[in-house]
Amino acid sequence: MSVSTESAGPTDSGGAELSIRSIRPDQPWRWLEAGWADMRKVPAISLTYGFAFLLASILLVAVLLAAGLSAVVPVMAAGFLLVGPMLAVGLYEASRRLEAGLPVQLSDVVFVSSRNLSQLALVGAMLAGAMLIWLQVAGWLFALFFGPVGIPPLSEFAPMLLLTPRGLAMLVTGTIAGGAIAFAVFSISAISVPLLLARDIDAVTAVIASVRAVRRNFWTMLLWAWIVALLTAFGIATWFLALAVIFPLLGHATWHAQRALAGEA
């Protein structure tokens, strides 16, 4: 891995300057390997975390179906990509403890103890706000292309979306808008959340470092974004079942992405 670094400007409380490394294009695959290695070290904890997330996802889908909002399920699934980094905090903590040679217990990942809890909450609020913006944009697009009508069930909405000119136009527009929001959120959250666990810094410094990491390694991070998106889409396509494994894998891998990208000058 290249040792070339770019100063991120601010320093942590210990005075060490936060820097961003240039990395090789094959690094995302190495992050997945490292994430898988962490899962193998603590399989019970990783899979328990993954199954808890699976059950929460199924419960949310069941609530939407019961409320007659089945067409909202794909929108919410897309929104998961925006808040996913925050939901994986416990997995980052597990990888941090493994790296430090500390024991890892389920209580460690469920009740994460960090001096930066308030800063983590701030980044979480940013991501939650981004998801609310995405839901609002999706609602506006539906109203723009179909008028002030109720959202139909998914069984009717899918053919309407895929087989009508207005539906296809909405699909293209929504994909562009959603992609822009997703990439903006990815830029601020690619490493900011695990970075707050690793270093004694504030949320703004972590977000700036994340944006600089994406900018400095644009094509490599774009590959990582595609890997995350495709694996997540596959997990969702299995009615969330595969996410029980994919979610902890990506969580552990993201910790290693942060470690590869951010260092001390």
Side-chain angles (χ1 to χ4, degrees):
M1 181 175 64
S2 171
V3 295
S4 173
T5 60
E6 172 190 72
S7 172
T11 61
D12 65 16
S13 63
E17 189 175 71
L18 187 63
S19 59
I20 297 301
R21 298 187 179 101
S22 293
I23 57 175
R24 295 195 307 262
D26 66 339
Q27 281 296 300
W29 306 110
R30 295 181 181 274
W31 300 337
L32 288 176
E33 291 175 2
W36 182 251
D38 282 357
M39 284 190 68
R40 292 181 62 184
K41 292 175 183 176
V42 287
I45 290 175
S46 297
L47 292 177
T48 297
Y49 203 100
F51 275 103
F53 176 78
L54 167 63
L55 291 176
S57 300
I58 292 175
L59 178 61
L60 176 59
V61 170
V63 170
L64 291 174
L65 293 177
L69 297 173
S70 58
V72 179
V73 172
V75 178
M76 291 295 294
F80 157 74
L81 287 170
L82 305 181
V83 297
M86 198 64 206
L87 299 177
V89 168
L91 297 166
Y92 308 149
E93 175 63 9
S95 287
R96 186 192 72 81
R97 295 181 71 86
L98 285 172
E99 182 181 292
L102 300 173
V104 183
Q105 299 179 350
L106 186 59
S107 58
D108 297 323
V109 301
V110 175
F111 306 104
V112 176
S113 177
S114 171
R115 56 196 167 190
N116 278 339
L117 286 180
S118 62
Q119 300 304 308
L120 284 167
L122 181 56
V123 174
M126 293 180 191
L127 300 182
M131 184 172 181
L132 291 176
I133 291 173
W134 162 239
L135 294 176
Q136 188 64 60
V137 168
W140 287 339
L141 288 174
F142 181 83
L144 176 65
F145 286 97
F146 292 103
V149 297
I151 300 177
L154 186 59
S155 58
E156 298 177 15
F157 183 63
M160 183 188 305
L161 190 65
L162 298 173
L163 302 177
T164 66
R166 284 189 297 176
L168 289 173
M170 175 184 164
L171 182 61
V172 171
T173 305
T175 299
I176 294 172
I181 294 172
F183 189 76
V185 173
F186 172 76
S187 295
I188 69 173
S189 64
I191 63 170
S192 58
V193 180
L195 193 56
L196 285 169
L197 287 178
R199 304 284 292 274
D200 187 13
I201 57 177
D202 59 81
V204 173
T205 300
V207 167
I208 290 174
S210 184
V211 172
R212 293 196 175 193
V214 172
R215 185 188 66 184
R216 185 172 177 83
N217 301 279
F218 180 80
W219 295 110
T220 302
M221 294 305 288
L222 186 61
L223 171 61
W224 178 235
W226 273 110
I227 291 172
V228 171
L230 290 175
L231 286 177
T232 302
F234 173 75
I236 293 172
T238 64
W239 284 100
F240 301 95
L241 294 177
L243 282 181
V245 175
I246 290 173
F247 184 65
L249 171 62
L250 291 176
H252 289 303
T254 299
W255 170 263
H256 292 283
Q258 174 269 141
R259 298 299 285 166
L261 287 160
E264 297 179 4

